[in-house]
Amino acid sequence: MNARPKNNTSNRFEIIRRGWQMFQQGQVPTGIREPILRSWERSRKAGVNPALPGGLLVWDRHQLALAQAANQELIDAARGPLRDLEQALIGTGLVLALLDANSRALLVRGDSQGLAAAEQILLVPGSDWSESEVGTNAMGTALVEGTLVSVIKAEHYLESLHPWSCVAAPIRHPRTGSVVGLLDLSGTGPAIGQQAEMVLRSSLAAIESQLAAADLQLRNKLLEAYSDELIRPRTAPLAAVDRYGDIVKATDAALAALPAPELKAAMKKVAATGTDCQIRVTVEDKPATLILRPVRWEDRVIGALAELSRPLSRPRSGPQSVSPAGEELVGRNPAWLATVQRALQAARTDFTILITGETGTGKEVLAKAIHRASPRSKGPWIAVNCGALSPTLAASQLFGYVGGAFTGANPKGSPGLVEAASGGTLFLDEVGELPPEVQVALLRFLEERQVYRIGSHRPIPVDVRIIAATNQDLAEMVRQGRFRQDLYYRLNVVHLHIPPLRERREDILPLVEYAYRRLGVVPPDLGFSSCQQLTSYSWPGNVRELMNLVEQAVALNEDPANLLPLPSLGSPQVQVGEYGEEERIRKALADCRGNVAAAARQLGISRTTLYRKLEQYGIRLKRQIDEDPL
């Protein structure tokens, strides 16, 4: 029973051997796989000599050390999976190679028998296995094809490699999708089959998972540097740029103004030199200077902070100030200051925090400020919108799952967001939207500080700080049976309530001023009438609405007060929509006994706007008072 497959295999090898000979003689080969034939054609076109002894040694020891340092992130991610795979290779004669994104070997591992054979074909650290140099081979061809490739015996373009069989696949960056390296298994024994491909895919998945975790950590560190810079007074557009020159986060002004090609070119210089880079660019047909300052972590450049030096509007005289705690933490309202002070005190502890407040009041910003001020500031920050979680997958998204836990699940399983936040802070926004079964799982985690992945009974300890937020009345939801009482008490250890903006009227103008600086624009001089309109407006969308209004004002080069929606204007005592605009104006004038200034304040508009509306609706005043009585 065993002899027949062996004969079939031998016949297959012979067909491949004859096909290789036909191709080298300029004939059309038969029985050759299409990917291999394509590679042979490319190899011939590149002028590869089929008589070469093997790989090309391109790096000496010093150059190899530099290349390994440049690929340290890849090597770190591969260290664990390679160690496990190396143990499995003992006695097999197979060798394992980790290569960079140009098919050059960084590491070669295996038992003594395999390594000795590999040295004969120069499959050693520092050797080049690109298809254009050594012809068809799994490493170089996998890079060209962009997928897993196996090359069996005489399918190799070089005759010296015909005793070998190999399988290789690209390692891709989990966020960018770009190839960052290659993983290869090679040997001179029987042809590498499906089992070896499965082992390689498994190791590949483990490496890419480690790369994803490392990338998330570096991304969080870069965002911390961006946040720390953003809270300082500034007039220039600011962006956080990762190692690849892609913007991770930026002010709106920076997103609109920063030129992408120049940004990538400058980031390459920063990554190569580790120093600041300044280049001249043109923005809106005007010259500007693009400045990149490297951000380092653990002696590595993980990105840069980019800014344009040219101010976007006329400087404003007078002092400017920003709260040191964070962007929407600007303010001097006593209730707001008490909330901020309580938050910073709670930041020094690990107690669970519940933040309540209307939509748009800045609950996530306050939570981020707590994270940055806490001992966990160097750990990850993970924000989850509970209302956006899939109802059927919410538990697996938060707590992870094991392979085969449900249809469509990753066969390798997956950690959840709670595990991803280990060592840092997990922010659960809209926590009142959690399904009942997930509420039970969250309560269990808060009590035990252990995660049970879906489909597993094995506890996984997780060290994470929970901050929850909601715009709902959780106490009322508890009374109605829509939210677990025990979970409510677990979350509500420290309660922080953010007052709505209409109750913080003394903070409106400082927030408007900050909103301009946040966009990289020097705040304009707002007249008395504009300031009056802004502070009289009810701000149903709170701080978020204010920030959006200033963005519109910058985009349209308009006074923000002129963009306020009149139908929504008025003091809290005026019911929006109870009357039409004309009726509201008539009522305000009647309430104020013809006092135009007082009526304008009640309506939340300027006197100039009110006079225009009076003319529009043909309203004549029986008694006109333009100023308040003394």
Side-chain angles (χ1 to χ4, degrees):
M1 293 180 64
N2 294 330
R4 187 172 182 178
K6 183 175 180 180
N7 289 336
N8 288 341
T9 301
S10 299
N11 290 339
R12 174 62 181 154
F13 290 167
E14 183 57 32
I15 291 172
I16 296 172
R17 174 70 178 175
R18 285 200 303 268
W20 182 85
Q21 291 173 335
M22 292 174 67
F23 184 84
Q24 296 300 333
Q25 294 168 3
Q27 302 174 26
V28 178
T30 58
I32 302 301
R33 294 184 292 152
E34 183 60 32
I36 299 300
L37 191 56
R38 284 199 305 267
S39 178
W40 283 359
E41 294 285 359
R42 291 193 299 264
S43 302
R44 172 187 284 169
K45 189 175 181 179
V48 177
N49 182 357
L52 288 174
L56 298 179
L57 192 60
V58 293
W59 289 332
D60 59 23
R61 293 177 60 182
H62 176 67
Q63 292 169 322
L64 174 62
L66 292 176
Q68 289 173 336
N71 289 273
Q72 192 61 53
E73 184 179 351
L74 172 63
I75 293 173
D76 288 344
R79 182 172 289 113
L82 293 191
R83 187 186 306 116
D84 295 340
L85 187 52
E86 187 179 355
Q87 290 297 314
L89 295 181
I90 295 176
T92 65
L94 293 172
V95 293
L96 170 68
L98 179 69
L99 302 94
D100 71 3
N102 295 310
S103 304
R104 293 178 173 181
L106 297 167
L107 302 172
V108 179
R109 297 286 187 265
D111 58 21
S112 57
Q113 177 187 350
L115 290 176
E119 287 183 5
Q120 299 301 312
I121 58 169
L122 287 182
L123 179 51
V124 295
S127 57
D128 185 352
W129 287 87
S130 57
E131 188 185 77
S132 60
E133 295 293 338
V134 297
T136 306
N137 71 93
M139 296 165 276
T141 304
L143 181 61
V144 175
E145 294 285 335
T147 188
L148 183 144
V149 169
S150 63
V151 178
I152 302 170
K153 304 295 184 179
E155 288 181 336
H156 286 92
Y157 194 77
L158 302 187
E159 190 170 13
S160 60
L161 302 181
H162 286 187
W164 289 78
S165 293
C166 50
V167 58
I171 302 170
R172 296 188 179 275
H173 191 281
R175 180 162 53 84
T176 66
S178 59
V179 175
V180 295
L182 294 155
L183 191 62
D184 171 81
L185 275 176
S186 297
T188 58
I192 291 180
Q194 291 184 347
Q195 185 176 1
E197 291 186 9
M198 291 175 59
V199 169
L200 189 76
R201 290 184 188 276
S202 176
S203 300
L204 198 70
I207 293 173
E208 291 180 345
S209 176
Q210 291 295 321
L211 283 172
D215 182 69
L216 178 62
Q217 187 179 36
L218 296 184
R219 191 179 180 89
N220 286 332
K221 294 298 178 185
L222 183 58
L223 288 175
E224 285 178 16
Y226 171 83
S227 299
D228 291 343
E229 182 69 19
L230 195 62
I231 64 176
R232 299 171 184 163
R234 60 184 305 103
T235 59
L238 179 71
V241 184
D242 66 14
R243 297 158 292 166
Y244 311 100
D246 295 325
I247 294 177
V248 175
K249 194 167 186 180
T251 61
D252 290 346
L255 282 175
L258 287 175
E262 290 87 344
L263 196 62
K264 288 183 178 293
M267 189 60 228
K268 283 184 178 179
K269 294 182 180 179
V270 172
T273 64
T275 59
D276 292 7
C277 177
Q278 297 188 20
I279 59 174
R280 299 292 293 173
V281 295
T282 300
V283 178
E284 297 177 352
D285 298 326
K286 295 180 181 179
T289 302
L290 176 61
I291 305 170
L292 268 72
R293 291 175 285 120
V295 176
R296 291 182 176 83
W297 185 63
E298 291 187 348
D299 297 326
R300 282 187 290 169
V301 175
I302 63 173
L305 296 180
E307 62 182 1
L308 285 170
S309 65
R310 178 173 61 82
L312 299 184
S313 70
R314 178 175 56 85
R316 179 186 179 188
S317 60
Q320 302 177 19
S321 62
V322 179
S323 163
E327 54 181 42
E328 281 101 31
L329 303 195
V330 173
R332 54 179 180 269
N333 172 268
W336 169 244
L337 290 177
T339 296
V340 172
Q341 181 63 31
R342 184 175 170 84
L344 296 179
Q345 289 175 343
R348 296 194 292 266
T349 73
D350 254 353
F351 294 135
T352 302
I353 296 174
L354 177 64
I355 303 176
T356 59
E358 295 179 5
T359 298
T361 50
K363 296 185 288 294
E364 182 170 354
V365 174
L366 182 62
K368 284 182 181 177
I370 293 170
H371 172 72
R372 290 197 300 268
S374 75
R376 296 177 173 270
S377 61
K378 296 187 182 301
W381 160 267
I382 303 292
V384 182
N385 185 331
C386 299
L389 292 175
S390 165
T392 57
L393 298 176
S396 63
Q397 289 171 313
L398 282 174
F399 302 107
Y401 59 87
V402 297
F406 51 87
T407 302
N410 187 325
K412 300 288 294 181
S414 175
L417 294 169
V418 175
E419 285 183 65
S422 184
T425 303
L426 179 67
F427 176 61
L428 300 176
D429 198 10
E430 298 185 27
V431 71
E433 300 294 332
L434 283 177
E437 61 273 15
V438 182
Q439 293 181 30
V440 174
L442 179 59
L443 175 65
R444 184 179 185 184
F445 169 71
L446 291 172
E447 290 175 343
E448 301 177 2
R449 296 292 169 172
Q450 297 181 130
V451 164
Y452 293 84
R453 294 186 182 179
I454 304 302
S456 171
H457 298 290
R458 183 175 68 86
I460 302 174
V462 178
D463 174 27
V464 64
R465 201 254 186 90
I466 301 292
I467 301 178
T470 182
N471 60 3
Q472 303 184 66
D473 186 343
L474 287 189
E476 180 60 28
M477 291 180 66
V478 169
R479 285 190 288 272
Q480 295 174 2
R482 295 190 294 122
F483 198 84
R484 293 185 63 94
Q485 184 179 50
D486 43 9
L487 178 58
Y488 171 68
Y489 289 128
R490 281 286 182 182
L491 294 174
N492 197 26
V493 177
V494 177
H495 180 207
L496 301 174
H497 178 71
I498 302 180
L501 190 54
R502 62 179 174 274
E503 296 177 7
R504 301 170 50 195
R505 296 196 177 273
E506 62 267 64
D507 294 343
I508 291 173
L509 293 181
L511 280 167
V512 168
E513 188 172 312
Y514 179 79
Y516 275 98
R517 288 200 299 271
R518 176 174 174 264
L519 296 172
V521 178
V522 178
D525 290 312
L526 297 175
F528 175 79
S529 176
S530 293
C531 292
Q532 190 178 47
Q533 291 179 66
L534 290 168
T535 54
S536 299
Y537 179 52
S538 61
W539 297 107
N542 292 295
V543 178
R544 183 179 299 151
E545 181 184 7
L546 183 149
M547 295 291 175
N548 289 340
L549 184 78
V550 173
E551 289 178 8
Q552 294 178 46
V554 170
L556 301 174
N557 194 25
E558 182 63 88
D559 186 320
N562 294 338
L563 300 175
L564 288 169
L566 182 60
S568 299
L569 295 174
S571 65
Q573 290 76 27
V574 177
Q575 295 297 316
V576 176
E578 185 178 343
Y579 304 98
E581 184 174 73
E582 180 179 350
E583 286 74 14
R584 288 197 300 114
I585 291 174
R586 291 184 182 278
K587 182 177 184 302
L589 288 168
D591 291 345
C592 299
R593 296 180 298 170
N595 186 323
V596 175
R601 279 198 301 274
Q602 179 172 313
L603 290 167
I605 59 178
S606 68
R607 282 177 292 177
T608 302
T609 301
L610 180 53
Y611 279 125
R612 189 172 69 250
K613 293 294 182 181
L614 294 178
E615 182 178 355
Q616 175 184 341
Y617 294 118
I619 300 174
R620 296 184 178 275
L621 298 175
K622 294 181 180 179
R623 176 170 177 260
Q624 178 175 321
I625 305 175
D626 195 34
E627 296 188 38
D628 291 334
L630 296 176

